mmCIF file of all heavy atoms in Angstrom:
data_model
loop_
_atom_site.group_PDB
_atom_site.id
_atom_site.type_symbol
_atom_site.label_atom_id
_atom_site.label_comp_id
_atom_site.label_asym_id
_atom_site.label_seq_id
_atom_site.Cartn_x
_atom_site.Cartn_y
_atom_site.Cartn_z
ATOM 1 N N ILE A 552 39.214 66.428 -63.580
ATOM 2 C CA ILE A 552 37.922 66.808 -64.195
ATOM 3 C C ILE A 552 37.785 68.345 -64.123
ATOM 4 O O ILE A 552 37.352 68.966 -65.088
ATOM 5 C CB ILE A 552 36.781 66.098 -63.464
ATOM 6 C CG1 ILE A 552 36.821 64.598 -63.735
ATOM 7 C CG2 ILE A 552 35.451 66.671 -63.927
ATOM 8 C CD1 ILE A 552 35.837 63.831 -62.908
ATOM 9 N N LYS A 553 38.114 68.882 -62.965
ATOM 10 C CA LYS A 553 38.015 70.342 -62.774
ATOM 11 C C LYS A 553 38.851 71.110 -63.810
ATOM 12 O O LYS A 553 38.371 72.038 -64.469
ATOM 13 C CB LYS A 553 38.429 70.736 -61.409
ATOM 14 C CG LYS A 553 38.394 72.241 -61.123
ATOM 15 C CD LYS A 553 38.997 72.603 -59.792
ATOM 16 C CE LYS A 553 39.102 74.137 -59.670
ATOM 17 N NZ LYS A 553 39.824 74.566 -58.432
ATOM 18 N N ALA A 554 40.112 70.673 -63.930
ATOM 19 C CA ALA A 554 41.034 71.350 -64.859
ATOM 20 C C ALA A 554 40.451 71.264 -66.292
ATOM 21 O O ALA A 554 40.543 72.219 -67.083
ATOM 22 C CB ALA A 554 42.398 70.713 -64.803
ATOM 23 N N SER A 555 39.949 70.064 -66.694
ATOM 24 C CA SER A 555 39.396 69.883 -68.020
ATOM 25 C C SER A 555 38.179 70.780 -68.236
ATOM 26 O O SER A 555 38.068 71.424 -69.342
ATOM 27 C CB SER A 555 39.027 68.414 -68.219
ATOM 28 O OG SER A 555 38.362 68.225 -69.448
ATOM 29 N N LEU A 556 37.339 70.889 -67.236
ATOM 30 C CA LEU A 556 36.137 71.693 -67.338
ATOM 31 C C LEU A 556 36.480 73.169 -67.494
ATOM 32 O O LEU A 556 35.865 73.954 -68.253
ATOM 33 C CB LEU A 556 35.239 71.455 -66.160
ATOM 34 C CG LEU A 556 34.498 70.162 -66.089
ATOM 35 C CD1 LEU A 556 33.905 69.937 -64.713
ATOM 36 C CD2 LEU A 556 33.431 70.088 -67.138
ATOM 37 N N GLU A 557 37.439 73.585 -66.689
ATOM 38 C CA GLU A 557 37.878 75.051 -66.767
ATOM 39 C C GLU A 557 38.419 75.362 -68.191
ATOM 40 O O GLU A 557 38.166 76.485 -68.662
ATOM 41 C CB GLU A 557 38.963 75.266 -65.649
ATOM 42 C CG GLU A 557 38.414 75.341 -64.269
ATOM 43 C CD GLU A 557 39.443 75.427 -63.192
ATOM 44 O OE1 GLU A 557 40.603 75.012 -63.455
ATOM 45 O OE2 GLU A 557 39.115 75.917 -62.086
ATOM 46 N N SER A 558 39.135 74.444 -68.737
ATOM 47 C CA SER A 558 39.691 74.623 -70.152
ATOM 48 C C SER A 558 38.568 74.767 -71.138
ATOM 49 O O SER A 558 38.516 75.644 -72.020
ATOM 50 C CB SER A 558 40.613 73.488 -70.518
ATOM 51 O OG SER A 558 41.742 73.496 -69.655
ATOM 52 N N LYS A 559 37.562 73.828 -70.996
ATOM 53 C CA LYS A 559 36.433 73.868 -71.942
ATOM 54 C C LYS A 559 35.573 75.169 -71.780
ATOM 55 O O LYS A 559 35.206 75.773 -72.826
ATOM 56 C CB LYS A 559 35.507 72.647 -71.652
ATOM 57 C CG LYS A 559 36.033 71.312 -72.103
ATOM 58 C CD LYS A 559 35.033 70.227 -71.798
ATOM 59 C CE LYS A 559 35.526 68.844 -72.190
ATOM 60 N NZ LYS A 559 34.561 67.762 -71.876
ATOM 61 N N ILE A 560 35.357 75.551 -70.585
ATOM 62 C CA ILE A 560 34.508 76.712 -70.331
ATOM 63 C C ILE A 560 35.255 77.973 -70.821
ATOM 64 O O ILE A 560 34.693 78.849 -71.472
ATOM 65 C CB ILE A 560 34.175 76.864 -68.825
ATOM 66 C CG1 ILE A 560 33.192 75.723 -68.448
ATOM 67 C CG2 ILE A 560 33.535 78.199 -68.523
ATOM 68 C CD1 ILE A 560 32.936 75.579 -66.928
ATOM 69 N N SER A 561 36.581 78.034 -70.583
ATOM 70 C CA SER A 561 37.392 79.138 -70.993
ATOM 71 C C SER A 561 37.472 79.240 -72.528
ATOM 72 O O SER A 561 37.320 80.321 -73.116
ATOM 73 C CB SER A 561 38.853 78.989 -70.489
ATOM 74 O OG SER A 561 39.665 80.052 -70.932
ATOM 75 N N ALA A 562 37.528 78.064 -73.211
ATOM 76 C CA ALA A 562 37.650 78.013 -74.702
ATOM 77 C C ALA A 562 36.303 78.479 -75.316
ATOM 78 O O ALA A 562 36.238 79.114 -76.344
ATOM 79 C CB ALA A 562 37.949 76.651 -75.142
ATOM 80 N N SER A 563 35.178 78.072 -74.615
ATOM 81 C CA SER A 563 33.857 78.466 -75.163
ATOM 82 C C SER A 563 33.553 79.922 -75.031
ATOM 83 O O SER A 563 32.710 80.477 -75.707
ATOM 84 C CB SER A 563 32.826 77.604 -74.473
ATOM 85 O OG SER A 563 32.704 77.941 -73.122
ATOM 86 N N ASN A 564 34.264 80.528 -74.072
ATOM 87 C CA ASN A 564 34.044 81.969 -73.878
ATOM 88 C C ASN A 564 34.943 82.801 -74.811
ATOM 89 O O ASN A 564 34.816 83.962 -74.931
ATOM 90 C CB ASN A 564 34.296 82.376 -72.421
ATOM 91 C CG ASN A 564 33.254 81.790 -71.452
ATOM 92 O OD1 ASN A 564 32.155 81.550 -71.889
ATOM 93 N ND2 ASN A 564 33.605 81.584 -70.223
#
Side-chain angles (χ1 to χ4, degrees):
I552 293 171
K553 177 189 174 184
S555 174
L556 287 167
E557 287 173 337
S558 296
K559 286 182 182 179
I560 291 171
S561 178
S563 66
N564 291 334

